[in-house]
Amino acid sequence: MKKYIVAVVGATGVVGQEMINVLEQRKFPVKKLVPLASERSLGMTVKYKGENVDVQELKPESFENIDIALFSAGGSISEKFAPEAVQRGAVVIDNTSHFRMDNNVPLVVPEVNADALKEHQGIIANPNCSTAQLVVALKPIHDYATIERVVVSTYQSVSGAGKEAISELENQTRSMLNGQGQPEKNKFPYTIAFNVIPHIDVFLDNGYTKEEMKMIEETQKILDSEIAVTATTVRVPVFIGHSESVNIQTKKKISAKKVRELLKQAPGIEVQDDPASNIYPTPQEASGKDPVYAGRIREDISMKNGIELWCVADNLRKGAALNAVQIAEELIK
Ligand code: NAP
Ligand code: 3JM
């Protein structure tokens, strides 16, 4: 079997670390792993297959001889270095928002639109974590009943904002429980411990946040540009796992029972839906797992063709690292 030299850009971050775990767990045919990060990480190592691999400083020359480069070090890093990688012959799978809406860049969730990969010109984009789990849940319903409109509200964990955000929730929680008052805040505009913040990424002129517009535009690009989408994205004091309340309006009537049947057969999704036994997905249970979980599936009593559902996934896996590695697996098939 052919093996590949794989670079992970942002290897010391929460997404990069998870990429390295997923490459190992899924036995991706790696000839050599090249972990890249900033100068700050020089001297650090990452663990891969029981070995400590030295982290190297990211430079344009880092991409000489690289076959596949997985990027998750922020949009400005991708903007500058993804073209450098492509120029040197690598295929880039980018986890940032920088190239997602570029017409020349496929935006891919393999269970939904693996076909789009055929068109790639060196860069392939991975969607936002909240978009990835949403489209996996919507795809089977759209194929059967044609979705006309989606209203989604998210409950997003702090790991979606990186390693410093995880520390911030830990420190604030400890400090407040120890009676030391509200500690410093850096990553979030308000204290996130014991709070809920309806603000992710920056506010735009239309009153939405950039995170909300990412979900709207990316869902349309991946699934169907005809679907009307509106979103409210909210940060909650959970470490790992994003949850979404999803209201779906369809052209054709679809029952809750049929939705359960469709989702049970669909790839990448598991139904956990037995309210009588308190069975429904939660982020703590979904953390560390690969599937998108769906539950609380019911017919919306306020309109004719409406479905309500609750979906949960590990944002670092299906939302980021796993989806990126699945794209790489499709590419080498
Ligand atoms: P993180 O934990 O803060 O890690 C950031 C990583 O980027 C670290 O490895 C860091 O290296 C590296 N980095 C930062 N500045 C750099 C520079 N100037 N040169 C080289 N490397 C640099 O963040 P994260 O949660 O892993 O997220 C990283 C990025 O992935 C985000 O900014 C976002 O664009 C993307 N992301 C995508 C999704 C998705 O849904 N697809 C989800 C979350 C994040 P050092 O340790 O050396 O600083
Ligand atoms: C998730 O460029 C940056 O500062 C990163 C911002 C960011 C993004 C993004 O826009 O790429 C943080 C967390 C994402 C994302 O997946 O959209």
Side-chain angles (χ1 to χ4, degrees):
M1 188 193 224
K2 185 169 172 0
K3 289 192 165 190
Y4 300 85
I5 305 180
V6 180
V8 174
V9 181
T12 53
V14 282
V15 174
Q17 291 278 338
E18 197 66 23
M19 284 170 164
I20 294 166
N21 294 339
V22 174
L23 287 168
E24 179 172 340
Q25 287 160 2
R26 293 176 74 90
K27 302 188 168 59
F28 190 85
V30 177
K31 191 182 334 175
K32 186 176 170 215
L33 180 78
V34 181
L36 301 168
S38 77
E39 198 186 356
R40 296 179 289 273
S41 295
L42 278 176
M44 288 183 58
T45 59
V46 295
K47 262 243 149 37
Y48 177 69
K49 289 190 168 171
E51 308 266 328
N52 293 318
V53 186
D54 288 333
V55 176
Q56 299 174 28
E57 185 184 348
L58 171 66
K59 293 184 179 149
E61 309 82 68
S62 310
F63 298 102
E64 297 293 346
N65 301 318
I66 299 292
D67 299 309
I68 300 171
L70 306 175
F71 273 71
S72 70
S76 59
I77 300 291
S78 292
E79 177 179 22
K80 182 165 171 208
F81 290 94
E84 299 280 358
V86 173
Q87 206 193 328
R88 289 170 174 79
V91 176
V92 168
I93 302 172
D94 184 31
N95 255 272
T96 79
S97 58
H98 188 75
F99 295 103
R100 287 180 194 148
M101 296 312 296
D102 189 323
N103 282 334
N104 299 319
V105 174
L107 178 62
V108 177
V109 174
E111 292 90 338
V112 180
N113 67 336
D115 270 5
L117 276 176
K118 287 188 215 128
E119 324 273 296
H120 88 81
Q121 298 169 26
I123 302 178
I124 296 144
N126 199 78
N128 179 264
C129 34
S130 295
T131 310
Q133 68 183 75
L134 178 67
V135 294
V136 170
L138 294 181
K139 166 77 173 163
I141 302 171
H142 187 50
D143 287 348
Y144 179 86
T146 311
I147 297 174
E148 290 184 329
R149 179 169 186 250
V150 175
V151 181
V152 56
S153 303
T154 69
Y155 304 68
Q156 297 181 219
S157 66
V158 296
S159 57
K163 55 188 175 185
E164 286 166 22
I166 295 175
S167 302
E168 188 153 313
L169 175 57
E170 276 169 3
N171 293 336
Q172 290 179 352
T173 305
R174 198 176 295 115
S175 165
M176 288 170 81
L177 287 176
N178 287 336
Q180 291 161 335
Q182 297 208 347
E184 229 182 291
K185 52 180 191 296
N186 289 311
K187 291 296 284 185
F188 302 113
Y190 289 87
T191 301
I192 185 63
F194 308 104
N195 209 356
V196 164
I197 307 175
H199 172 185
I200 301 181
D201 212 331
V202 295
F203 280 103
L204 304 173
D205 288 344
N206 66 358
Y208 283 76
T209 63
K210 194 171 162 201
E211 185 83 350
E212 288 158 354
M213 290 311 296
K214 286 178 202 169
M215 280 193 85
I216 294 166
E217 291 167 355
E218 295 173 18
T219 299
Q220 290 168 336
K221 177 165 173 176
I222 297 167
L223 202 54
D224 188 337
S225 59
E226 297 286 298
I227 301 176
V229 185
T230 184
T232 303
T233 56
V234 181
R235 190 75 69 189
V236 295
V238 166
F239 284 107
I240 297 178
H242 287 3
S243 308
E244 297 177 354
S245 156
V246 190
N247 183 269
I248 303 158
Q249 191 175 352
T250 56
K251 192 166 173 197
K252 181 172 133 186
K253 172 79 190 162
I254 182 168
S255 66
K257 183 165 170 266
K258 185 71 192 176
V259 172
R260 271 181 223 111
E261 264 172 43
L262 291 171
L263 296 187
K264 273 179 191 158
Q265 290 160 12
I269 187 155
E270 265 183 38
V271 175
Q272 292 184 333
D273 196 13
D274 184 7
S277 311
N278 292 348
I279 304 287
Y280 40 75
T282 72
Q284 230 176 74
E285 279 63 36
S287 162
K289 311 253 170 61
D290 286 348
V292 174
Y293 295 96
R296 301 292 323 278
I297 299 164
R298 59 206 191 274
E299 284 148 45
D300 178 346
I301 57 171
S302 77
M303 66 169 153
K304 215 165 111 218
N305 294 342
I307 288 290
E308 286 279 1
L309 65 82
W310 173 251
C311 90
V312 181
D314 182 323
N315 52 294
L316 300 176
R317 291 185 78 92
K318 188 59 198 172
L322 171 64
N323 196 70
V325 174
Q326 285 177 308
I327 291 173
E329 288 169 351
E330 285 291 325
L331 282 173
I332 64 165
K333 250 188 198 170

